[in-house]
Amino acid sequence: MRERSLILSLVSLLGLVVLLPAQGPVYRERWSYMQLERLRAEVWRELAGRGSGTKNRVGILLAEPDRGIPYLPTAKALAYVRGVEADAAFVLRATLAVFLLPEVVDPESTKEVCRSLNASLFLPYSVEIPGAIEFRATVRDTAGARVFETTVSRKTDLSNLRRARPVVKVPAAELADGQYTLEVRTFLDGKAPREKDQNLRLSFWVQRGYQRRAEAAMTAARELHEELDPLVRGQLLGVAAAVSRAYLGEAFHGQTDAVADLERLERAVENLREGRPVLAGIHGDVPVQIVMPSGELQAVVRLDEERHPATAAKAAARPLVVIAGGLPSYDPASRRPASPRTGLPRGLALAMPDFGRAEDFHVAFLESPGAGRDYNKALPAAIEALRELLAVRDQPVVLVCEREAASVVAFGIERLPASVRGLVFLGSGALTGPRIDKLGARPLRLGKLIDYPGGDGIDRVTAYAEQQRQKNADWPGDVALLGNARPPWPFGLPAWQQEILAFVREVTRD
């Protein structure tokens, strides 16, 4: 359980040890999957403004068999968007990954290994090596000024790269506190990357006193959380778990937000000690946990001054949109990594960074099914906890489910609380006729994805609804497609944002 992981994180800095060959395969796969998600996000960014033909072709490429190299379809898609060939050099550069440890370098740390950045370069999968490899690593500050540069030319063959043996070590003693970007360029037989080749870029932090502050904040959270009721305890544990992740060297989503995560935890601890609501003054995409007898579900709530637990009880109630994602997957057939075991809500929030910010409703992102839990039992409890947390009161909830979340919720749709007054299923969500009938007038919208297996089930649902409408003019059902487009399978949520937003407005208007 997450509470146990929080306590364990106080024991030592073992997760920051950089003898990476000793790290287990599950730990490695989590870092590898993080890099794959970043590569997919790059494809999505570069698809912006492209025509439907380009998007359809990218969708087909992303659904192709990967021949045992999960990065390959994404590398091909990225090359296609950039108008170049996905040759061996392009694929190699797109596949290069890194263990970036520690995420926050602390020149004052009691652990020598944490006083420098140790970036171990590795290939998650064996790909063709089209020449002798040399790495050029550059560190820049937020103004773009170069503060460090080095070359790595030893142990750069395939065997050593598979073992993560090439290391870029960046001393931090002379670096000011702040955020930095590490860029790694791969030279092949002395030739620099071409203009449209992918270079590896990741951010890290230098923060003096981070170890001391993190340990103090997590110790305080451990001491405080046992006396709290489940709703408040979950808020504290969610914020603390984000610090625990960085402290133990687990892979992050997108870019590191570790310093802000620590500041949130320190604020939460201070709030509790001063008798204020735990999340008072904490804004942005804030991690929380839904604490239930059967375990916890992770969530991220999108908070600003107007939509905040500390003020929601005094303000006019607002509707709530809950977004549940699919499982981490290498392909449309749901071939999964060993870690992460579930789709995590921070990844969803990053995929939909602006969703709901200008609207008059709350937004919460929820962990996917998986990890052996009964999701159809946990989901209603999570929805009710979020309603209480955000003081939704009698306002409607709209539930948006992607891929596996849609499949699981469709199977147990009768368990959904009455507060859920609108549903969106993306990529999957087949329902039998009797279950569709039980929806009554509760509206359901469905979105298909390119070459995703759930499309046939969606067709059956819409066909059934059309047959019922033709047979009975008084049939109350409200079932329809979001639209005729089919986004690439990993991008259902960001691709359908505007259609989802329009549906939410329709469901929640007075």
Side-chain angles (χ1 to χ4, degrees):
M1 287 187 180
R2 299 287 171 184
E3 294 184 40
R4 180 173 176 269
S5 69
L6 172 60
I7 294 170
L8 288 176
S9 70
L10 300 173
V11 176
S12 70
L13 285 171
L14 292 178
L16 297 179
V17 174
V18 294
L19 297 176
L20 289 173
Q23 299 288 358
V26 174
Y27 179 90
R28 287 167 167 260
E29 192 161 13
R30 181 153 189 164
W31 276 97
S32 169
Y33 193 77
M34 178 270 278
Q35 175 63 13
L36 177 58
E37 286 187 315
R38 285 172 48 82
L39 200 64
R40 286 174 176 167
E42 188 78 10
V43 174
W44 175 246
R45 281 192 295 270
E46 298 194 19
L47 273 177
R50 300 298 186 94
S52 59
T54 298
K55 292 177 180 176
N56 288 339
R57 180 57 184 160
V58 165
I60 292 169
L61 289 170
L62 288 171
E64 285 185 348
D66 60 27
R67 298 182 297 184
I69 305 173
Y71 281 62
L72 189 57
T74 307
K76 287 182 175 180
L78 185 60
Y80 176 77
V81 172
R82 292 180 178 177
V84 297
E85 178 188 357
D87 59 12
F90 188 96
V91 172
L92 169 65
R93 290 176 172 123
T95 306
L96 181 67
V98 64
F99 296 99
L100 196 69
L101 300 171
E103 190 175 326
V104 183
V105 182
D106 180 0
E108 297 176 354
S109 172
T110 60
K111 302 288 184 180
E112 181 180 356
V113 73
C114 299
R115 298 175 201 148
S116 301
L117 177 72
N118 299 273
S120 294
L121 306 172
F122 75 107
L123 285 175
Y125 300 91
S126 295
V127 298
E128 181 183 347
I129 307 295
I133 295 176
E134 180 179 87
F135 297 113
R136 307 275 178 91
T138 305
V139 174
R140 299 184 185 276
D141 63 19
T142 53
R146 184 174 60 192
V147 297
F148 177 83
E149 192 165 62
T150 190
T151 298
V152 178
S153 55
R154 297 180 62 250
K155 299 181 179 180
T156 60
D157 58 282
L158 177 60
S159 176
N160 280 301
L161 279 169
R162 292 288 287 124
R163 292 170 171 79
R165 286 177 174 166
V167 178
V168 176
K169 186 168 184 176
V170 182
E174 303 301 320
L175 297 180
D177 286 358
Q179 190 171 22
Y180 295 86
T181 299
L182 171 71
E183 179 183 42
V184 179
R185 303 169 69 215
T186 304
F187 284 66
L188 295 171
D189 288 335
K191 296 179 181 178
R194 299 159 295 193
E195 179 184 359
K196 295 187 179 181
D197 281 336
Q198 184 74 359
N199 294 315
L200 183 66
R201 290 185 184 90
L202 281 172
S203 293
F204 68 97
W205 294 87
V206 174
Q207 186 69 53
R208 286 162 178 81
Y210 175 83
Q211 178 193 341
R212 170 183 48 78
R213 290 171 55 195
E215 290 174 353
M218 287 190 291
T219 299
R222 182 187 63 182
E223 294 170 348
L224 289 167
H225 86 275
E226 293 180 353
E227 304 301 321
L228 304 173
D229 69 65
L231 187 67
V232 178
R233 185 164 72 249
Q235 295 169 48
L236 177 63
L237 290 176
V239 175
V243 178
S244 172
R245 179 208 56 75
Y247 188 92
L248 291 174
E250 292 183 0
F252 44 83
H253 287 280
Q255 295 285 3
T256 170
D257 201 24
V259 170
D261 287 334
L262 175 56
E263 291 169 351
R264 288 192 186 105
L265 178 57
E266 291 174 328
R267 181 65 178 265
V269 167
E270 180 185 355
N271 285 339
L272 287 170
R273 286 174 171 167
E274 298 296 325
R276 295 187 292 265
V278 63
L279 297 182
I282 297 176
H283 302 105
D285 289 341
V286 180
V288 299
Q289 289 185 13
I290 312 300
V291 178
M292 300 169 288
S294 58
E296 297 88 36
L297 271 179
Q298 297 183 62
V300 165
V301 288
R302 185 156 280 171
L303 302 181
D304 57 24
E305 287 288 352
E306 294 184 358
R307 292 165 288 192
H308 197 283
T311 58
K314 304 174 185 178
R318 289 179 168 85
L320 169 64
V321 180
V322 178
I323 301 172
L327 285 161
S329 300
Y330 287 130
D331 58 24
S334 295
R335 186 160 55 89
R336 303 169 193 164
S339 181
R341 296 179 64 195
T342 59
L344 301 178
R346 184 165 264 184
L348 298 180
L350 287 171
M352 306 176 75
D354 299 318
F355 183 81
R357 292 192 186 276
E359 302 296 323
D360 195 27
F361 55 75
H362 297 288
V363 179
F365 302 93
L366 198 61
E367 187 178 2
S368 78
R373 65 166 59 92
D374 183 345
Y375 200 70
N376 277 319
K377 182 178 180 181
L379 180 62
I383 290 172
E384 292 309 303
L386 289 167
R387 289 180 68 239
E388 182 180 355
L389 169 64
L390 298 167
V392 172
R393 297 193 280 277
D394 62 347
Q395 291 295 303
V397 175
V398 177
L399 178 61
V400 180
C401 297
E402 178 193 34
R403 298 188 287 112
E404 290 85 2
S407 295
V408 173
V409 172
F411 186 74
I413 204 161
E414 62 278 357
R415 292 192 183 183
L416 289 178
S419 59
V420 176
R421 300 182 205 167
L423 287 162
V424 176
F425 289 163
L426 301 179
S428 189
L431 289 162
T432 62
R435 282 198 167 103
I436 297 172
D437 292 336
K438 286 180 181 179
L439 287 173
R442 180 188 282 175
L444 168 65
R445 297 294 179 266
L446 304 109
K448 299 176 71 174
L449 304 174
I450 294 175
D451 288 346
Y452 194 76
D456 290 343
I458 289 176
D459 287 339
R460 289 193 295 272
V461 171
T462 55
Y464 177 86
E466 182 59 29
Q467 289 169 3
Q468 296 305 105
R469 281 190 288 264
Q470 290 180 2
K471 289 192 301 183
N472 180 6
D474 295 326
W475 187 68
D478 183 2
V479 178
L481 291 174
L482 277 174
N484 294 321
R486 294 192 187 189
W489 74 268
F491 306 138
L493 284 170
W496 286 113
Q497 282 185 92
Q498 292 306 311
E499 289 80 2
I500 294 169
L501 187 57
F503 177 67
V504 172
R505 289 171 180 158
E506 177 185 340
V507 171
T508 61
R509 68 186 173 208
D510 293 330

